[in-house]
Amino acid sequence: MSDFVFDHLRAERTGIPEAVLASGKSVEQIAAIAANVLDTGASLFVTRLAPDKAAALGHFGAALHYHPGSATAVFSAAPPPEPDTRGAAVVAAGTSDLSVAREAVQTLRYLGIGSRLIVDVGVAGLWRLLDRVEDIRAEPVVIAVAGMEGALFSVLAGLVDAPVIAVPTSVGYGVAEGGRAALSSALASCAPGVLTVNIDNGYGAAVSAVKILRVARHRQSG
Amino acid sequence: MSDFVFDHLRAERTGIPEAVLASGKSVEQIAAIAANVLDTGASLFVTRLAPDKAAALGHFGAALHYHPGSATAVFSAAPPPEPDTRGAAVVAAGTSDLSVAREAVQTLRYLGIGSRLIVDVGVAGLWRLLDRVEDIRAEPVVIAVAGMEGALFSVLAGLVDAPVIAVPTSVGYGVAEGGRAALSSALASCAPGVLTVNIDNGYGAAVSAVKILRVARHRQSG
Amino acid sequence: MSDFVFDHLRAERTGIPEAVLASGKSVEQIAAIAANVLDTGASLFVTRLAPDKAAALGHFGAALHYHPGSATAVFSAAPPPEPDTRGAAVVAAGTSDLSVAREAVQTLRYLGIGSRLIVDVGVAGLWRLLDRVEDIRAEPVVIAVAGMEGALFSVLAGLVDAPVIAVPTSVGYGVAEGGRAALSSALASCAPGVLTVNIDNGYGAAVSAVKILRVARHRQSG
Amino acid sequence: MSDFVFDHLRAERTGIPEAVLASGKSVEQIAAIAANVLDTGASLFVTRLAPDKAAALGHFGAALHYHPGSATAVFSAAPPPEPDTRGAAVVAAGTSDLSVAREAVQTLRYLGIGSRLIVDVGVAGLWRLLDRVEDIRAEPVVIAVAGMEGALFSVLAGLVDAPVIAVPTSVGYGVAEGGRAALSSALASCAPGVLTVNIDNGYGAAVSAVKILRVARHRQSG
Amino acid sequence: MSDFVFDHLRAERTGIPEAVLASGKSVEQIAAIAANVLDTGASLFVTRLAPDKAAALGHFGAALHYHPGSATAVFSAAPPPEPDTRGAAVVAAGTSDLSVAREAVQTLRYLGIGSRLIVDVGVAGLWRLLDRVEDIRAEPVVIAVAGMEGALFSVLAGLVDAPVIAVPTSVGYGVAEGGRAALSSALASCAPGVLTVNIDNGYGAAVSAVKILRVARHRQSG
Amino acid sequence: MSDFVFDHLRAERTGIPEAVLASGKSVEQIAAIAANVLDTGASLFVTRLAPDKAAALGHFGAALHYHPGSATAVFSAAPPPEPDTRGAAVVAAGTSDLSVAREAVQTLRYLGIGSRLIVDVGVAGLWRLLDRVEDIRAEPVVIAVAGMEGALFSVLAGLVDAPVIAVPTSVGYGVAEGGRAALSSALASCAPGVLTVNIDNGYGAAVSAVKILRVARHRQSG
Amino acid sequence: MSDFVFDHLRAERTGIPEAVLASGKSVEQIAAIAANVLDTGASLFVTRLAPDKAAALGHFGAALHYHPGSATAVFSAAPPPEPDTRGAAVVAAGTSDLSVAREAVQTLRYLGIGSRLIVDVGVAGLWRLLDRVEDIRAEPVVIAVAGMEGALFSVLAGLVDAPVIAVPTSVGYGVAEGGRAALSSALASCAPGVLTVNIDNGYGAAVSAVKILRVARHRQSG
Amino acid sequence: MSDFVFDHLRAERTGIPEAVLASGKSVEQIAAIAANVLDTGASLFVTRLAPDKAAALGHFGAALHYHPGSATAVFSAAPPPEPDTRGAAVVAAGTSDLSVAREAVQTLRYLGIGSRLIVDVGVAGLWRLLDRVEDIRAEPVVIAVAGMEGALFSVLAGLVDAPVIAVPTSVGYGVAEGGRAALSSALASCAPGVLTVNIDNGYGAAVSAVKILRVARHRQSG
């Protein structure tokens, strides 16, 4: 564990602090990394932290801020501050896509960006989506979260002028198993302006959204 | 060639005359089958007949009715009669899907069913589709033809109460190459009521549509 | 959970009430949706509801009608009425395909259609199938359920004049694992008139069958 | 070319003379191998020899026996003798499968076994197949050749007691492209007793059939 | 369960009694089938019967003959008789392939054929295989069982003149996961005379071996 | 052709004028669309226009602006204006990726954005890339174009704070054939902030880059 | 178990003693092999030995040397000697790749070679890797261990002149699931000099490294 | 073209001069790179240079050294010197694998290493391989080139103590199409010590062989 090298420089270089994907790591490995980071006075964002692993990390006490609905956690001495600006619409096709959508929401929040979460707008019931279009258009960046056939990505991209970041989810069975059908739909979309991240990667979508919003901030101040 | 056994009985058993897929056969093989069928006084429907093969079959003269836009042909002594009823909407996402859509239209026609062809209604421009929804709803069966990501299938199935037969096409590149992405979208559709045929199989979609319409006719007379 | 938007309009638009796929959802999520729907006086159909989840929903009492052989449930104040018409043959290749076949039977029943279930007619024992052909021909729509190599789809479609809806199942191992071989067989069938739904999707097949039968009813009254 | 080492020992060891697959080799390479073999007084069997390559080998004169319908050739000083026994039924689903079926027939013939070729017995027209079952049952080994969904393999194996060697063909499109659907059907067959060779491998099926027939001969004399 | 139709006719038609694959079936379903078959005075062969399922079937008492090393069972009033002839070499590359190899051995035995089991002859230690070649050559049919890269199939087929039935196994990881690499090697073998069955299908290999041996018997008596 | 419905509304709705993918369309179809658009006084952007098709469209005269290095064309009465702002770095791993990179450059230009094209910075020669990092960092958005294994995407995303849009290309052979390896690398990147478009989709990357830059402009003016 | 044939000759022939992959074998099978080998006075190396299996082998007492971090074990009467030479750098992209990296380290050690383990040098934080380049260059052979997109392989191969053996790991999700993305990156690397082994095969990489180092030793003494 | 940046530094850093893969580049692009390199006084190695492209580069006169059997070329003012040491056995399974094997031979030669080419030693005729084992063992590194099922890799690795670099080739059809079966066999080999490069990548195998031989040289002088 003593081999671990936290990339403090990356935050400076890319503007995004490093995060840790818990799913492939043992509780001991996560604890060692978190302790290491807390010692430097920094905070650590963790994704895919299953409830039993979170419980096993209970000795971190108030320094561990766990959010079960998204399976994310923040290790930090002080509670993470509330974001003061809003910047993204996170649009999920169905209830089963919620945990991935919430991973995006929590990541945005950790990075200082508030978001609007809109759920159950799958294209099979088109009016539910059309009813929410104005809300979605109000945000400069859209994160769309969908499994199954992923038709939501193309429909959304035809309705808004914001960049659409597609997060295919592993929700589905048969040909949709593991999220491959939704992934193909995102990449092959007939609507230009769809950008894709890996299956279930709500974290990556949120980081990209923040980078996009920083283009704006950079330009404003530039 | 003398080995060929035309399945005259199938027409009686299943109500659908046999057709021939030209793409894997030589001109000589197609000519032998056609002559064989014409000799019995019957007619033959041929799909995927490339223009050069059609030209090489020119010695059939007026007995060969070739339709280049769909690459289909009818071998028959008399011209095929015009259908007197309409029964299907054939909806194609884009111009590149036209040849497959027309294969469906010509098959329907050969089997006695008129159809309405509606083109360029891809979901990236949702209003083009919504503008045509009433026309589509006017028909009892819908054949939807789309390549790329195939989002049209789910959107259509959420808008009409007719059965939707999805024909994924091989239009697309990258992950959509060969039609796989559109096929997955059709099968994984979040909208129930989507039925799928093989990639580019306009013929099979039309035969199925006719079978569905016969359920209605059968019930009326039953 | 409060984000959930039940699509009451879809029933009006497409004639099919929304159903819920339980497999990707927590007991809490299913309970919230069911309570929401029951409050409006409507009923809810649920598929892939594992026995342990059904047990955990026991507090719904008489409002929960669970059918373990198909893993389906109906949430409704009154028991669902018995269908008064029959319209589909549900044909399953083997014992292992039964749960998917029963999902189709229960869906049809919920939508008001009775069906005939015919099992153990795999093509390796062709006479078993031929013995039942007249029973199958008596129904206007056929739902065929098979895993392994799925040869049943082509053989059936050559024997009946009804539309055949193929439901490939995930029964099998090796190259048949997950249902891919059966799915390919359905899509590539040499017999025209085979329509395919996703692997194990008995629900979707039944909804499509109902839509097909409504074409008939619509035409009769039209 | 001088590197080429013809495996004369293999004929002794396995009872099957080596053959050459022409498709990946240049005319010069094939000519060098053939000359090498003819020099030793032996004969050489060649598969997948396209007509233009055969023409370019015309200088072998009467020593080259080319059969265009199967794309096979024999290089031998004397014409290959006619087989005096019959031992296999070669059953092809459709006209498009003929060239592969004929590769099997010619290979059997080169190895001294006569065969019966039965064509156009795809399962979509089941009676065509049932009409020929007695002819097929008359042979001790069955080679079944089919593309598309390959349902023929399972149906045949349920009808005859001979071993069935399945040769999937690359006939088909969409999910059947390249023969993968037919291959899966052969391997996943619900009927035990189906043995499979590579896609389009009529040669390998015939060699295996000969090995099976030799088991019989061996036992008779043993 | 009452729907189950046992195919007694198949034994007569194809010479092979039906068997049941336990892996996709519940204990109740297997018990119902077994009782049904025992009632007719016949016996039943079952494959992939996990130890816990076998234990749950303990009420069959002496009528259940379970063989844990192969996960097979025979339901029969009397113990299955010992085979009086030998006919196959079953050659397994490694210890991990043993359960599949034993499924073949037990199936052969149930069908009246004795066999010789040869293990740990993977090609990485070629001499181990060469040491056993005479033993293998002594049998008229060879069943080769291998996972990983499946090189054993080609090497064996180059060393013996018997037909080689390749059974790829799901032994392996990475690109060999699930047996795909071994399956490809069997089908693409550069050695003619390799016949392939589905991954882990020891049962199918044995049934085919019996059919091959019956060709011999048939010819002898014919 | 008269069926074609150009989506003039989309430009208003999404801010991006429709473009036409020439590769699946005939010269006649492209000509009809272009004439249709020019008649309305608008201009049309065309991608994947092969030189022979461009030549066959020569009768459009000065209204056709063809750029062979990128296979793109603009149909417009007046020459497209030069962009007056720069906004993107287009970084191509190697010479073989140039045509895709130029498709992005030309699309950006058509949409009013200048760009900097940086080539031959594959990671195998890391210093070539490090030498250009300052140039790349000078632009608010980065489009990275790479085939083979696509390692460029992750390395770049670790070096810059701009959003990185990855365009995998079909450059490569073996496991990289068709661009799949590069696509997987983009999606699975260990560096957060990589957004992916379909293989060879330089057009889509450019449209997304423009949408991202508009977020900035929108915010500035908002 | 008595069938097991340990390949003592292989050590002599190839210079590498046989090892056993525990994952597909029962505790009884492993115990039988180990006892067999210990009886001959030799030692046995075992990989993928899960902790519960190791515990179940506790009766081997001091003859079992288990290393849980790598899931490897040595069965030997005496403790394995410490290597006296160093020869390889084992470079792991991240913490999740550690168990595979350690399998390589332990294998090297068992074969008499010391190694340097370098962790957390993924390319997303390029400077972490550049900081360690001198350490890596100090070793004659490099084993690189990475999952996700595997960009490390190409970057490393461009930085060192030693042969780089890439071990893709199954670390990752979505398109990286099971290690396929990293495997493709290793094989398609734009940097020549990358050699690849199967996913998670730290053992094979180490054996190859030893063979490479023996080339050197051989040449020195030759 | 002026964008091209030749990586002169790489030769210093990794000891291997850059080479150019001609297959994805135009004649103009190759000519520009070659002129650029020749101007610096260096030489350039080119792979996959088709004969027609080589002819179109004829204006380079004596500076272009083209080798058609391997489709490689050297651009250099003086003819490349003959290697004075031998170091590799290049072993090809069959005649169809020769062009890839020769790419390896020519690359080795360009890098100063002589090699021994051994052809037609496929495992189906095992004795042909065993006859050459001593010749193969005489070289410190083995490059094995095979398509189809690639069994050669495992057999060879069990016979020699040198590292074996496997080059799967795209020779084959059906499941072997494009080289995937051979690639899987190389990676999944049951014989440790097999290292794999991309399909048809004779160049990469040779570069790796040279790096391995340099380990030896380095150690000798170190």
Side-chain angles (χ1 to χ4, degrees), chain C residues 15 19 22 58 84 104-105 110 116 128 148 153 158 162 177 201 213-214:
Chain C
D84 48 5
V105 167
Y110 180 69
R116 198 187 296 237
R128 291 185 302 184
M148 308 291 283
F153 307 134
E177 179 133 24
N201 190 5
L213 292 166
R214 284 183 187 168

Side-chain angles (χ1 to χ4, degrees), chain H residues 1-204:
Chain H
M1 239 56 51
S2 59
D3 300 316
F4 180 79
V5 182
F6 197 73
D7 191 11
H8 296 294
L9 289 171
R10 184 154 59 156
E12 290 168 35
R13 224 174 33 255
T14 68
I16 305 290
E18 201 175 22
V20 164
L21 177 73
S23 56
K25 301 193 180 65
S26 66
V27 168
E28 291 69 32
Q29 289 176 322
I30 300 162
I33 296 171
N36 183 322
V37 172
L38 288 171
D39 280 358
T40 68
S43 70
L44 178 74
F45 189 68
V46 180
T47 58
R48 313 254 174 125
L49 186 66
D52 58 331
K53 281 189 182 173
L57 291 160
H59 56 280
F60 277 91
L64 168 58
H65 311 268
Y66 184 58
H67 183 264
S70 63
T72 62
V74 177
F75 287 87
S76 71
E82 287 300 307
D84 48 6
T85 52
R86 199 159 70 192
V90 178
V91 183
T95 305
S96 303
D97 303 309
L98 263 175
S99 64
V100 174
R102 287 182 183 133
E103 183 182 293
V105 168
Q106 291 304 114
T107 305
L108 285 166
R109 194 180 166 185
Y110 179 69
L111 297 171
I113 303 292
S115 60
R116 196 188 296 236
L117 178 61
I118 294 168
V119 188
D120 269 310
V121 291
V123 299
L126 197 60
W127 310 120
R128 293 185 301 185
L129 175 60
L130 295 179
D131 281 355
R132 307 299 301 275
V133 159
E134 286 317 310
D135 288 347
I136 299 169
R137 281 191 183 140
E139 305 296 335
V141 178
V142 176
I143 293 174
V145 184
M148 307 292 285
E149 94 288 39
L152 179 64
F153 307 133
S154 295
V155 174
L156 253 183
L159 291 173
V160 303
D161 64 355
V164 173
I165 302 174
V167 189
T169 69
S170 54
V171 170
Y173 60 89
V175 298
E177 181 133 25
R180 294 281 171 147
L183 174 63
S184 294
S185 281
L187 290 165
S189 177
C190 58
V194 176
L195 295 160
T196 308
V197 296
N198 199 2
I199 295 161
D200 290 337
N201 191 5
Y203 168 74

Side-chain angles (χ1 to χ4, degrees), chain A residues 122-127 130 137 148-149 151 154-155 157-159 173 175-176 181 183-192, chain B residues 122-127 130 137 148-149 151 154-155 157-159 173 175-176 181 183-192:
Chain A
V123 300
L126 198 59
W127 309 121
L130 296 179
R137 282 191 182 140
M148 307 292 283
E149 94 288 38
S154 294
V155 174
L159 291 172
Y173 60 91
V175 299
L183 174 63
S184 294
S185 281
L187 290 164
S189 176
C190 59
Chain B
V123 300
L126 196 60
W127 309 122
L130 295 179
R137 282 190 183 141
M148 307 293 284
E149 94 288 38
S154 294
V155 174
L159 291 173
Y173 60 90
V175 298
L183 174 63
S184 294
S185 281
L187 290 165
S189 176
C190 59

